[in-house]
Amino acid sequence: MHRSILSIVLNSQNYALLDLSSKVEYALLALLELASHHRKKLPLTMSEISAKQPIPERYLEQILTNLRRVGVVQSLRGSKGGFVLVREPWQITILEIVTLVEGERKEKHTSDSPTLEKTLVYEIWEQANAASIEVLGRYTLQDLCQERETRAQQSPMYYI
């Protein structure tokens, strides 16, 4: 029995339909740290964030500057300065962060003479795209914080 190319590709362990860029990954990690300190109303410095997450400081600086520019974080100056979230973590969706970091997705133009086969492929791709948007829109920074706390409590601690 022959499997279709589509089923082989979709079932492959080495294939990611939706790829997470390092820029988005680092932004989410930095925002996760800021979200977990949001209740305390204490700003985090870039050094504190990069000490907790594997983000190069130069890259982190660019990411936080961009997030400040679009109004997700605020920078506070002074000896007790750093970065804080502008809004509550439950108000910031993962989809919003992906969109802000990567930019709006542009409509892909099909060729002037779309064939039946191209139309079928694009329809499936649009369904996959819509599903990914729905999932990313469902989760917030607060959800990530809660899930991290839950998993941290479940993992065993080893003391030497």
Side-chain angles (χ1 to χ4, degrees), residues 18 125-138:
L18 178 65
W125 208 253
E126 284 304 311
Q127 287 178 31
N129 186 48
S132 68
I133 288 171
E134 191 273 324
V135 169
L136 294 173
R138 191 181 329 148

Side-chain angles (χ1 to χ4, degrees), residues 40-51:
K40 300 172 191 169
K41 303 288 185 202
L42 296 174
L44 287 178
T45 64
M46 281 191 289
S47 298
E48 291 170 324
I49 295 170
S50 65

Side-chain angles (χ1 to χ4, degrees), residues 13-57:
Q13 294 295 323
N14 298 324
Y15 183 78
L17 190 59
L18 178 65
D19 199 13
L20 182 66
S21 73
S22 60
K23 198 175 183 181
V24 170
E25 179 182 357
Y26 289 156
L28 288 170
L29 291 174
L31 290 170
L32 178 58
E33 288 305 321
L34 293 174
S36 49
H37 285 79
H38 187 71
R39 283 188 194 152
K40 300 172 191 169
K41 303 288 185 202
L42 296 174
L44 287 178
T45 64
M46 281 191 289
S47 298
E48 291 170 324
I49 295 170
S50 65
K52 294 179 182 203
Q53 297 297 333
I55 308 170
E57 272 198 56

Side-chain angles (χ1 to χ4, degrees), residues 3-160:
R3 295 190 310 174
S4 73
I5 295 294
L6 183 61
S7 70
I8 292 169
V9 168
L10 292 178
N11 291 323
S12 169
Q13 294 295 323
N14 298 324
Y15 183 78
L17 190 59
L18 178 65
D19 199 13
L20 182 66
S21 73
S22 60
K23 198 175 183 181
V24 170
E25 179 182 357
Y26 289 156
L28 288 170
L29 291 174
L31 290 170
L32 178 58
E33 288 305 321
L34 293 174
S36 49
H37 285 79
H38 187 71
R39 283 188 194 152
K40 300 172 191 169
K41 303 288 185 202
L42 296 174
L44 287 178
T45 64
M46 281 191 289
S47 298
E48 291 170 324
I49 295 170
S50 65
K52 294 179 182 203
Q53 297 297 333
I55 308 170
E57 272 198 56
R58 284 189 113 180
Y59 204 33
L60 180 59
E61 182 178 3
Q62 293 172 8
I63 290 168
L64 289 173
T65 299
N66 288 338
L67 291 172
R68 183 184 53 74
R69 194 174 301 128
V70 295
V72 175
V73 300
Q74 178 182 13
S75 61
L76 304 173
R77 296 183 184 267
S79 62
K80 296 187 182 193
F83 291 87
V84 294
L85 290 177
V86 173
R87 294 179 288 160
E88 297 293 324
W90 60 267
Q91 295 175 320
I92 304 170
T93 67
I94 305 307
L95 177 61
E96 179 182 358
I97 301 309
V98 171
T99 304
L100 289 172
V101 171
E102 293 290 341
E104 290 288 332
R105 295 182 82 169
K106 295 183 180 176
E107 288 290 320
K108 210 169 195 176
H109 296 287
T110 57
S111 63
D112 293 337
S113 55
T115 63
L116 173 62
E117 294 80 5
K118 282 183 180 180
T119 302
L120 292 171
V121 168
Y122 281 112
E123 286 174 1
I124 291 171
W125 208 253
E126 284 304 311
Q127 287 178 31
N129 186 48
S132 68
I133 288 171
E134 191 273 324
V135 169
L136 294 173
R138 191 181 329 148
Y139 293 97
T140 66
L141 288 177
Q142 183 65 40
D143 295 326
L144 288 180
C145 287
Q146 289 172 341
E147 186 62 26
R148 178 169 75 170
E149 287 176 24
T150 301
R151 290 185 187 192
Q153 290 172 0
Q154 292 173 350
S155 38
M157 291 291 219
Y158 297 101
Y159 297 99
I160 298 177

